[in-house]
Amino acid sequence: MVEELVVAGVAVASGIVVYAMAAAKVVKQYERGVVFRLGRLRDQVRSPGFTMIVPIVDRLHKVNMQIVTMPVPAQDGITRDNVTVRVDAVIYFKVVDAADAVVQVEDYRFAVSQMAQTSLRSIIGKSDLDDLLSNREKLNQGLELMIDSPAMGWGVQIDRVEIKDVSLPEAMKRSMARQAEADRERRARVINADAELQASKKLAEAAGVMSQQPAALQLRLLQTVVAVAAEKNSTLVLPFPVELLRFLERAQQPAQQQPAPQQPPQVTQAQPEELPAESRPAEVEAGSAEPPAVESAESAAERASEAAQEVAVDPPVELPLPPAA
């Protein structure tokens, strides 16, 4: 009888130990315990530490509350300005409601990953290439809002989203490199032009100072000669003063500008030509009518000389005698 009681006591003790072992659970500090009793969610979420459940009746699901770092696979897309790119990102999130993370979604990690990939492709299609390369902060904020909106219903909070890398085609990389080189060259030319302008102003001021003291130009010339000779060159270049050339040029100009003395036009008197026999006046027979009036040769010569003097012509003008009437 006693033996039977001892065996029964040992069996009961063993059962209690097994029950206690099955009922005892330990929840870690970064976890929360969600209990389902006969399939129904218990309102109380088990806090970290030692906890007890009813074996066979209760089911305990431990949910990790740490921040999860999840890489988003690279997504191929076309930007708004029709450039093919490949973008990958990384997302940081954590569970803020353990019960919703277990009840509302089957696998919250997979759901967040798929939502992040879809949102990333959407962001690529709505953005320009320049925004993807230079304005990433704004894109990160937009991507975070797109993922966080549905994730709040799953008990998940998106902590941060970062675009890691933007891969471009090789042709686009070469085009961007040429654009950068052209921009650098433009800036270099502007800087050189500005330097030339400043140098010209300083040289103009120096020329004004040297013009007041001619000896300063000679001293500057000697300094230049010393600087050239210090290089141990076999050839020494001496600048020729431009003022000397201008002086010689001004000295030659008055001699070239003196006009030659002008000679007065010479007018020669036309000599009376001997009239042909046909044009001579016919002799008037005696007893005939009165002979026609004939102008003398002297009067005709005088009239021709007066007409020649009235007309100022450089070359001599010969005026023929008018025929006798």
Side-chain angles (χ1 to χ4, degrees):
M1 185 66 183
V2 176
E3 294 179 356
E4 293 178 357
L5 292 175
V6 172
V7 172
V10 172
V12 171
S14 301
I16 294 173
V17 171
V18 172
Y19 179 84
M21 293 179 61
K25 299 294 182 181
V26 177
V27 179
K28 297 179 182 180
Q29 181 65 38
Y30 54 86
E31 295 177 341
R32 297 295 183 271
V34 179
V35 179
F36 290 91
R37 179 165 294 176
L38 298 177
R40 301 188 65 177
L41 177 66
R42 301 289 295 178
D43 297 336
Q44 184 180 3
V45 176
R46 304 300 171 88
S47 58
F50 180 80
T51 183
M52 297 290 292
I53 62 172
V54 180
I56 303 174
V57 178
D58 293 344
R59 298 291 182 181
L60 179 65
H61 293 272
K62 297 179 182 180
V63 180
N64 193 338
M65 306 296 289
Q66 291 177 322
I67 295 178
V68 180
T69 303
M70 178 182 295
V72 181
Q75 303 296 313
D76 294 328
I78 301 177
T79 61
R80 190 167 57 181
D81 50 354
N82 298 326
V83 179
T84 303
V85 295
R86 186 179 180 88
V87 183
D88 57 352
V90 61
I91 182 172
Y92 303 90
F93 67 94
K94 64 180 179 180
V95 177
V96 293
D97 193 339
D100 290 341
V102 176
V103 176
Q104 299 297 332
V105 63
E106 180 181 2
D107 187 352
Y108 65 90
R109 291 176 179 267
F110 181 75
V112 171
S113 175
Q114 295 299 314
M115 179 58 65
Q117 296 179 32
T118 305
S119 301
L120 182 58
R121 284 194 294 268
S122 179
I123 285 292
I124 293 173
K126 294 179 181 179
S127 305
D128 295 332
L129 180 60
D130 294 338
D131 295 335
L132 289 174
L133 297 176
S134 61
N135 197 11
R136 293 191 180 183
E137 291 295 332
K138 183 179 179 180
L139 297 180
N140 293 337
Q141 294 177 2
L143 189 59
E144 181 180 348
L145 291 175
M146 293 180 65
I147 303 174
D148 192 50
S149 298
M152 289 298 295
W154 305 335
V156 177
Q157 179 182 355
I158 305 301
D159 188 66
R160 190 177 182 86
V161 180
E162 293 286 345
I163 295 177
K164 292 174 59 178
D165 187 23
V166 179
S167 300
L168 299 175
E170 293 297 329
M172 181 58 64
K173 290 181 180 179
R174 289 193 296 268
S175 299
M176 295 178 66
R178 288 195 299 268
Q179 179 183 0
E181 291 176 0
D183 184 66
R184 291 287 182 179
E185 184 177 358
R186 177 185 62 84
R187 292 169 59 184
R189 290 183 178 179
V190 170
I191 293 174
N192 290 335
D194 190 14
E196 291 293 337
L197 177 60
Q198 295 179 7
S200 63
K201 291 181 180 179
K202 295 298 181 181
L203 289 175
E205 295 178 2
V209 174
M210 290 182 180
S211 63
Q212 298 176 1
Q213 298 292 336
L217 183 61
Q218 187 66 22
L219 293 176
R220 183 58 182 154
L221 176 60
L222 295 176
Q223 290 179 358
T224 304
V225 172
V226 171
V228 173
E231 298 295 332
K232 298 181 180 180
N233 296 326
S234 59
T235 304
L236 182 61
V237 179
L238 292 177
F240 191 77
V242 182
E243 288 76 8
L244 182 59
L245 295 178
R246 293 178 179 174
F247 175 76
L248 296 176
E249 183 180 357
R250 286 195 299 267
Q252 293 178 359
Q253 285 181 356
Q256 296 178 357
Q257 292 179 357
Q258 290 181 358
Q262 297 182 359
Q263 298 179 359
Q266 298 179 359
V267 180
T268 59
Q269 295 182 357
Q271 300 294 332
E273 295 180 358
E274 191 174 2
L275 296 177
E278 293 80 2
S279 61
R280 293 178 182 176
E283 296 180 357
V284 181
E285 295 179 358
S288 62
E290 186 178 359
V294 179
E295 187 178 7
S296 64
E298 296 179 357
S299 62
E302 292 176 358
R303 287 197 306 165
S305 63
E306 292 175 358
Q309 291 177 0
E310 293 177 358
V311 180
V313 182
D314 292 341
V317 180
E318 296 182 359
L319 298 177
L321 293 175

